[in-house]
Amino acid sequence: MAQVDLDDARDPLEDLLALHTAEDADELHRRLLCFPDWGGNKADAFEPWCLLHKFHAHEPEGAAATAALLLTDRRWRNATGRLVRRIEESGLVPGEQLDLLAQTFLAAGPQVYWKAPADWFAGPAIVLDTGDSDEDDPIDVDQPADAEDGPVVFAREVRPPLRRWAAGRAVRSDPASWGALVQRARQVDPRSGAAMMHGLLDSNELLTPAARDVVLALAETWPQRKLREAAKALLHPPEPAAAPVSASTATQGAPATLSAQPSLF
């Protein structure tokens, strides 16, 4: 196995290698959270998908947690929408856990928070030798991090594509939830609110006709231009283009002139 300096990754390749060589999903979580983003292709949805598949194709335990960390990681922040759809379609994360992820992304503020296990930061306690101790006194002992320091919490960004996916999934799970989703879209920041309304439009065919009319009317007057355009496209679909007619077809289909009609006289 290739050796990498896990505490001092210096470029995207070393960073990626460090993630793929984690011993298990828990260690992957630690490296995702504790290792800095050293660049790389932010629009790459393939690498995070490979990581999820590597650690959970045959071990479903913890798949939702791994998915949440991958989806909120800045390493692939421009691939969030494609990645979450691929994860949903893969079946690696059970449906009820996907529903829980969706509810989390809808209820969260700008960020969700991950509490790190205390043993990530456990290590030898340093004991200073003042000269008054016996030679047999220990120089250091293994102790967990001081409980008085409190837990270590990592903030993870909830980007608009996650809000859009979550709203669409919520409607697919419970079409009657559309009213609560509209209310939530009005509470969050403008980009997140527009993304949630986009999610409602993505699943609008599941709504009752009355609910669909309300959602489309709201989306058509929403401040974000792209959302208004999407609503108008659903409300006023373009007319189908007429098939081109060739000159020969037009001649064959044209009514005959009076002189060509049979006559009784």
Side-chain angles (χ1 to χ4, degrees):
M1 179 182 297
Q3 297 296 316
V4 294
D5 186 350
L6 299 183
D7 296 319
D8 189 24
R10 291 180 296 274
D11 60 44
L13 183 58
E14 288 184 351
D15 181 40
L16 192 59
L17 182 60
L19 297 178
H20 276 279
T21 55
E23 294 180 359
D24 53 31
D26 288 339
E27 177 60 16
L28 173 66
H29 298 172
R30 187 184 76 84
R31 297 183 186 188
L32 284 169
L33 289 164
C34 295
F35 288 15
D37 173 12
W38 288 92
N41 184 0
K42 306 304 180 190
D44 183 6
F46 181 69
E47 286 299 341
W49 159 252
C50 287
L51 287 167
L52 182 69
H53 189 272
K54 173 183 173 67
F55 289 97
H56 295 290
H58 305 292
E59 181 53 63
E61 183 70 24
T66 301
L69 288 179
L70 293 170
L71 289 167
T72 55
D73 201 290
R74 291 183 59 81
R75 290 172 175 84
W76 307 288
R77 60 180 177 266
N78 295 335
T80 307
R82 289 178 286 116
L83 178 59
V84 71
R85 290 191 295 272
R86 188 164 186 176
I87 289 174
E88 181 179 34
E89 294 166 0
S90 71
L92 291 178
V93 181
E96 65 275 10
Q97 294 186 27
L98 284 173
D99 290 336
L100 181 59
L101 272 181
Q103 292 301 321
T104 299
F105 294 146
L106 291 171
Q111 299 169 323
V112 291
Y113 299 92
W114 184 281
K115 179 181 175 182
D119 59 7
W120 283 8
F121 307 98
I126 300 175
V127 179
L128 297 179
D129 184 3
T130 62
D132 297 330
S133 60
D134 296 333
E135 292 182 359
D136 294 334
D137 287 346
I139 297 176
D140 59 79
V141 294
D142 287 340
Q143 292 182 345
D146 190 344
E148 295 181 358
D149 292 340
V152 177
V153 178
F154 293 88
R156 311 288 285 181
E157 181 186 7
V158 181
R159 290 181 284 275
L162 293 177
R163 309 272 198 184
R164 179 172 180 171
W165 167 80
R169 182 168 182 91
V171 171
R172 294 194 298 274
S173 298
D174 179 14
S177 66
W178 69 271
L181 291 170
V182 170
Q183 182 178 2
R184 181 59 180 152
R186 288 170 167 162
Q187 295 171 345
V188 295
D189 64 275
R191 291 182 65 225
S192 295
M196 291 173 63
M197 291 300 296
H198 262 295
L200 283 169
L201 294 188
D202 292 339
S203 301
N204 78 92
E205 71 280 358
L206 300 176
L207 302 177
T208 64
R212 187 183 307 119
D213 289 344
V214 172
V215 169
L216 288 171
L218 287 171
E220 195 177 21
T221 59
W222 206 267
Q224 192 199 60
R225 177 178 57 82
K226 289 185 178 180
L227 179 60
R228 295 197 303 270
E229 292 174 351
K232 289 177 181 177
L234 290 171
L235 282 167
H236 312 290
E239 293 289 337
V245 180
S246 65
S248 60
T249 303
T251 303
Q252 293 173 4
T257 60
L258 290 177
S259 58
Q261 294 290 339
S263 176
L264 296 178
F265 301 99

